[in-house]
Amino acid sequence: VTHYSIPEELKEGSVVANLANDLSVDVTSLIRRKMRVDIIANKKYLDVNKETGELYIAEKIDREHICTTKWTSSCYLKLEVTLENPLRIFNIELEILDMNDNAPQFRRDAIHLDLSESTSAGERFSLSNAVDPDVGSNSVSTYHLSESEHFNIEVQTGRDGSKFADLILKKALDREQQEMHNLILTAVDGGKPPRSGTVSIIVHVLDTNDNAPLFDKSIYNVKITENSPIGSLVIDLNATDLDEGSNSDLSYSYSLYTPEKTQETFYLNPSTGEITVKGMLNYEDFNIYDMEVIAADRGINSLSGQCTIKIQIEDMNDNHPEISIKSFQSPVSENIDVDTVIAVVSVSDKDSGNNGVVDLRIPNNMPFKLRESPDNFYKLVVSEPLDREKVPEYDITFTVTDRGSPPLSDNETMTLQLLDVNDNVPHFPQSFYTIRVMENNAPGALLSSLSAFDPDLHENQYLVYFILEKEIANTSMSMLFSINPENGNLYALKTFDYEMEKDFLFHIEARDSGSPPLSSNVTVHIIIVDQNDNAPVIVSPWRAHGSVVEEKIPRSTDKGSLVAKVIALDVDSVHNSRVTYQFLQVTDASLFSLDQYSGEIRTMRMFSYKDSRHQRLVVVAKDNGDPALSATVTIKLSTVETAVKAYSDMTEVPLEYDIFSDLNLYLVIGLGSVSFLLLITILVTIVLKCQKVKPSKAAPPCRNSVISERNSTIADSTLVSNDAYWYSLFLAETRKGKLVVRQPMPKGSRYIVSSIPRSTGMSETSDSAPSTLQV
């Protein structure tokens, strides 16, 4: 057998051997002898040049592919060479020498190991070895492990010389610190240069129940508002167990030290550890709950942990403040003193903090104020004087409000009634009453109701009416008037005559029935209103007897000459006494005219020879009353051709009349002056009467001191109302050729008016006699 050794790294085409030379065969005879080479195994790797006899590499040799077994370190390719003529057979062995062309390789990419964290240090674990197809020193020679505080390796040699490593635990494992360890195992061969291969060793640390559940805190303080709805979350307990699996699967429960009331009020979810509201929460009933919760794992040897929870109920403003009236004084007298306590009130609120701080108030603008005392007590005191007549009772509303957000309030109303005190005088609606009474009234007629008002109550309000007595012309008021003491109705006790009594002034008092009684009075002015009950009285021309007046007039009288002046007086009031004049009969209506206001009769033309010597004029004087009253006078007028002696004086008449031709102007001025004097006199008299000045006994009898003293009486009982009539009388008497004298009476304010014939120039036909008038 011919033996050859070739390195594995020869390239394709490389000549391995020259068989012709080695076998001592002539090359030239190779063709002739027909050399045939049979490669017994892997003949694809080798081939022979039949012409030269060279054995060469036909395909790159892979020793590990040719020799798959590593039982021996040698690897051979066997050939058989045959030569013919003569036949010779040669056996050739071609040894392939190994080269380090393969790195160690592990069968898997990763080696997974499950180790319990309870494994003791020193424990070893076999690892799968690396495989290197190379042989000899080119095969795996050793192993290396990446740096680890927990593991190292020991390299072992097998019976076949293979190398493998054992993993040794040099430090105890703790899954809770590191549940997985990643190691790198490296296999190195002995080639030059050496080759290596690696594998990951993943160590899974298996859990053991060596950790008890642990809460974040040992004591939890939780606040929750009262009235939280059922199901509201109070706290979500989250205990942790560093173990895993069933060793960390926790369940929660109350300990035996948790009160039953707490367990009834709060629900503990055994799986999640959530605590929720189970029952109604009321701060005022119970505001702190204590509980102890246990968390246990489900490991074989179960471990547990516990915590304490303190739940504090926070107050909500859910209670209305309350008012309690401790005392209340009603009714009270309206003159109660200021600062008097009339009520004591207490307030309270079951809430706490600002929710329980309360304020009490009463409405503004009331005559009361609150005075605070300790322990939420308040006194209601009078702050201003009370007046029952203004406000008879007070509805006092006490309102209490807490300081919560939003605030709550409550109120209670008490009625304070005031007792009456006689502190008000009777009050008349007017301070001065003017009552007009028509003259000729019926005795007992109701004049007016003078009711007063007293705002007090009961006997303090019951009024009695009196006429304050005083005498007028020796006559007391109680004889003229009467007042109903109960209702103030005023009655007349007699019939009044305007022409005799014009007015009355007196006082009426209203007195209550209180103790002591209070009173007030009012002034009453009774004015007698005139009726047209007096007919006019003709005072000019003067006639001593009857109603016929005879006058003479020259026939040569010019047109417009004053023939006569009719003056009528009416003692009624000014309205009713306004007199107008008309012709009732006239002989010749074309000859005379009559002024309806002045009563002057004048010629409308001169007399002619055709005119009758005797003219008859009937004049009616009518007042302004309704119905009107009247009086008539008949004037017989005779015309004469020649003037008699008496007419010599009459020549003065036009002159005298001229003096009074502007009589209307003087009458107006005189009437105004007298009216003004009359008004002054009335006002002075009222003032004197109010001062209760007693009328002088020296004065002449009079019905009423207010009545003007100017009123006068003519001899035939005809009243002369004012100085206007005095002038009218003066004119009338002067026209009759009489001298009128006005002089005061002794010790009095009246006047004596004397009318006497003139000493010269009297007409023979004038039969007028002297007369005296009191004015």
Side-chain angles (χ1 to χ4, degrees), residues 459-717:
E459 66 275 2
N460 298 330
Q461 188 185 39
Y462 298 148
L463 302 181
V464 180
Y465 299 88
F466 306 92
I467 295 178
L468 297 181
E469 284 294 343
K470 76 172 183 177
E471 290 187 356
I472 298 179
N474 296 326
T475 301
S476 66
M477 282 293 107
S478 59
M479 297 180 64
L480 301 176
F481 304 97
S482 173
I483 191 167
N484 188 319
E486 295 182 355
N487 56 27
N489 288 344
L490 183 64
Y491 300 91
L493 298 181
K494 60 165 287 186
T495 300
F496 298 108
D497 186 352
Y498 172 83
E499 288 71 34
M500 296 295 293
E501 297 152 325
K502 295 293 187 296
D503 60 356
F504 301 92
L505 193 68
F506 56 92
H507 299 285
I508 290 178
E509 179 181 290
R511 182 184 305 164
D512 62 30
S513 302
S515 179
L518 300 177
S519 63
S520 64
N521 57 61
V522 66
T523 302
V524 179
H525 185 198
I526 304 293
I527 297 177
I528 307 302
V529 179
D530 179 52
Q531 282 187 330
N532 194 26
D533 58 347
N534 291 280
V537 175
I538 296 176
V539 297
S540 175
W542 181 257
R543 59 213 185 280
H545 305 286
S547 60
V548 177
V549 177
E550 293 183 359
E551 296 284 354
K552 292 180 180 177
I553 184 173
R555 197 170 180 82
S556 60
T557 300
D558 292 333
K559 174 185 177 181
S561 298
L562 179 64
V563 175
K565 182 175 179 66
V566 180
I567 298 177
L569 301 180
D570 194 319
V571 296
D572 290 323
S573 64
V574 175
H575 179 77
N576 292 328
S577 64
R578 190 174 302 145
V579 179
T580 58
Y581 305 92
Q582 294 178 352
F583 279 132
L584 191 60
Q585 292 180 5
V586 61
T587 303
D588 187 348
S590 65
L591 187 56
F592 302 100
S593 66
L594 173 61
D595 190 301
Q596 63 173 341
Y597 298 109
S598 64
E600 293 179 349
I601 301 175
R602 294 181 180 272
T603 58
M604 296 177 64
R605 58 181 175 79
M606 294 185 66
F607 289 97
S608 67
Y609 69 94
K610 294 181 180 181
D611 295 325
S612 174
R613 290 179 53 122
H614 301 284
Q615 298 288 330
R616 186 172 181 269
L617 306 176
V618 179
V619 179
V620 59
K622 185 186 297 184
D623 62 24
N624 196 40
D626 185 17
L629 300 180
S630 61
T632 60
V633 62
T634 301
I635 302 174
K636 290 183 177 181
L637 200 60
S638 300
T639 58
V640 294
E641 293 296 336
T642 58
V644 293
K645 184 180 181 180
Y647 287 120
S648 64
D649 293 334
M650 290 295 290
T651 58
E652 298 177 2
V653 172
L655 180 60
E656 291 178 348
Y657 180 74
D658 288 340
I659 297 175
F660 296 99
S661 61
D662 293 330
L663 180 62
N664 289 340
L665 176 61
Y666 293 114
L667 286 176
V668 171
I669 294 175
L671 182 59
S673 300
V674 172
S675 299
F676 176 75
L677 292 175
L678 179 61
L679 178 60
I680 295 299
T681 303
I682 291 174
L683 293 177
V684 172
T685 305
I686 291 175
V687 172
L688 293 177
K689 292 303 179 179
C690 290
Q691 295 178 351
K692 298 184 179 181
V693 178
K694 188 173 182 181
S696 175
K697 292 183 180 181
C702 181
R703 286 295 182 93
N704 194 331
S705 60
V706 181
I707 299 176
S708 173
E709 296 292 345
R710 289 184 177 275
N711 292 339
S712 58
T713 307
I714 201 166
D716 55 358
S717 300

Side-chain angles (χ1 to χ4, degrees), residues 107 273 377 386 401 690 739 770:
R107 294 182 178 88
F377 276 85
L386 305 181
T401 305
C690 290
L739 179 64

Side-chain angles (χ1 to χ4, degrees), residues 1 14 17 27 55 84 206 266 274 296-297 321 437 467 480 518 648 693 710:
V1 177
S14 298
V27 176
L55 182 66
E84 295 179 357
L206 301 179
F266 299 96
E274 287 184 350
D297 59 30
V437 181
I467 295 178
L480 301 176
L518 300 177
S648 64
V693 178
R710 289 184 177 275

Side-chain angles (χ1 to χ4, degrees), residues 4-18 44-47 55-64 66 77 94-101:
Y4 294 98
S5 294
I6 62 173
E8 183 182 9
E9 63 268 19
L10 287 178
K11 297 180 179 179
E12 183 179 338
S14 298
V15 177
V16 176
N18 191 327
K44 66 176 180 177
Y45 293 104
L46 297 173
D47 200 2
L55 182 66
Y56 62 91
I57 303 299
E59 182 177 336
K60 188 175 185 319
I61 297 173
D62 185 356
R63 180 184 179 282
E64 289 74 30
I66 296 172
L77 286 177
L94 184 64
E95 182 182 6
I96 300 174
L97 299 176
D98 182 53
M99 63 172 293
N100 193 22
D101 59 348

Side-chain angles (χ1 to χ4, degrees), residues 115-121 123 169 172-175 205-210:
L115 301 181
S116 173
E117 63 177 330
S118 61
T119 302
S120 300
E123 290 279 341
L169 180 65
L173 300 174
D174 187 348
R175 190 201 64 80
V205 183
L206 301 179
D207 182 58
T208 59
N209 194 21
D210 58 346

